[in-house]
Amino acid sequence: MGQVENYKIENEYYRQLVSDRVRSDEALWQAIGACGLSFVYADGLPQSNVIMIGEAPGKDEVKFGRPFAGKAGAILDEILAKTGIRREDIYITNTVKYRLATSGSRPGTFKNRPVKPVEITYSLDWLRHEIEIIKPKIILTLGNVPLKAMSIMQNCDIMSVSACHGKAIGIQVGDMRTTLVPLYHPASQIYNHDLKPVFEEDFHNVERMYAEI
């Protein structure tokens, strides 16, 4: 992570900022409860032309200290290998940088939970800062959560992955023009096998775009 720090991502500053926002939100902090805040920073190449944005880290991501380290990460690695895109050549981050967890069925255990809309809002400055520092030519969102974040950032109607997956959408972030490509989350095909060919076709479109930059 030294490279990322040297690239002025200011992870510690934004970690404190998000922590303060979450802790000052009484309802949200009570919902988080004993789970606390387990942060995972971005991974990959800060000088990359491509940013990939997921939802939030899970148990495996916290354990290994990088995004997409669990089952969804294995699916992602497989499709990257098929398309010839090296994971280490892209910058991978999450919309929310801490694990979204709630108490599990047994005492002392935790399980993943859906993101709360306010958590996207609290984390938006951090994500925007990453994009403005990296200056990617392509932004890949995996799932509806990062797509919602980008929609809020654009001050436009909330886009849906099902409606615009695989499409190249021109957007503005700060003073930079870039291309957004919404994609299904890798984990979606675990629950819906019909999405696997769709996911692969969309990534082959990304492969063609990647070869041109």
Side-chain angles (χ1 to χ4, degrees):
M1 295 307 299
Q3 279 188 305
V4 177
E5 293 291 348
N6 292 338
Y7 239 64
K8 301 181 182 179
I9 299 300
E10 300 179 45
N11 283 326
E12 291 302 332
Y13 168 80
Y14 283 100
R15 175 179 181 142
Q16 189 61 54
L17 179 65
V18 170
S19 296
D20 290 345
R21 287 172 175 172
V22 171
R23 292 174 189 273
S24 65
D25 187 323
E26 185 175 347
L28 177 58
W29 188 238
Q30 286 182 350
I32 290 173
C35 303
L37 298 174
S38 297
F39 284 87
V40 175
Y41 296 161
D43 182 48
L45 183 68
Q47 301 91 339
S48 180
N49 287 319
V50 180
I51 284 185
M52 181 178 290
I53 309 171
E55 176 181 341
K59 178 181 66 175
D60 290 325
E61 285 70 27
V62 171
K63 178 180 178 181
F64 293 105
R66 66 189 183 104
F68 289 99
K71 291 181 179 179
I75 295 172
L76 178 61
D77 289 345
E78 180 183 355
I79 190 64
L80 288 174
K82 285 183 178 179
T83 54
I85 300 172
R86 300 199 320 159
R87 176 172 174 144
E88 57 268 32
D89 288 342
I90 58 181
Y91 181 87
I92 305 177
T93 191
N94 277 307
T95 307
V96 177
K97 305 295 193 292
Y98 56 85
R99 185 183 176 190
L100 301 173
T102 188
S103 296
S105 56
R106 299 191 309 276
T109 63
F110 308 117
K111 61 183 180 180
N112 294 342
R113 61 170 172 81
V115 64
K116 297 180 183 296
V118 70
E119 292 179 291
I120 297 176
T121 303
Y122 290 162
S123 300
L124 208 59
D125 289 341
W126 195 345
L127 181 60
R128 182 187 291 110
H129 181 70
E130 287 180 292
I131 294 171
E132 291 178 347
I133 290 295
I134 303 299
K135 301 187 186 309
K137 294 182 179 179
I138 301 173
I139 298 175
L140 306 175
T141 54
L142 301 181
N144 277 310
V145 169
L147 184 55
K148 183 175 183 178
M150 296 307 302
S151 299
I152 296 171
M153 207 178 292
Q154 294 298 297
N155 195 28
C156 68
D157 292 339
I158 302 299
M159 294 179 277
S160 167
V161 174
S162 61
C164 58
H165 65 89
K167 297 179 181 178
I169 304 169
I171 63 170
Q172 182 91 20
V173 180
D175 60 357
M176 177 191 65
R177 292 290 298 175
T178 187
T179 299
L180 169 66
V181 183
L183 301 167
Y184 281 103
H185 194 280
S188 62
Q189 57 190 274
I190 298 175
Y191 311 105
N192 183 352
H193 297 302
D194 291 340
L195 288 178
K196 182 173 182 178
V198 177
F199 183 75
E200 292 187 351
E201 181 180 353
D202 287 347
F203 249 97
H204 282 297
N205 289 337
V206 171
E207 178 187 12
R208 288 188 284 273
M209 293 176 60
Y210 184 77
E212 294 174 359
I213 60 176

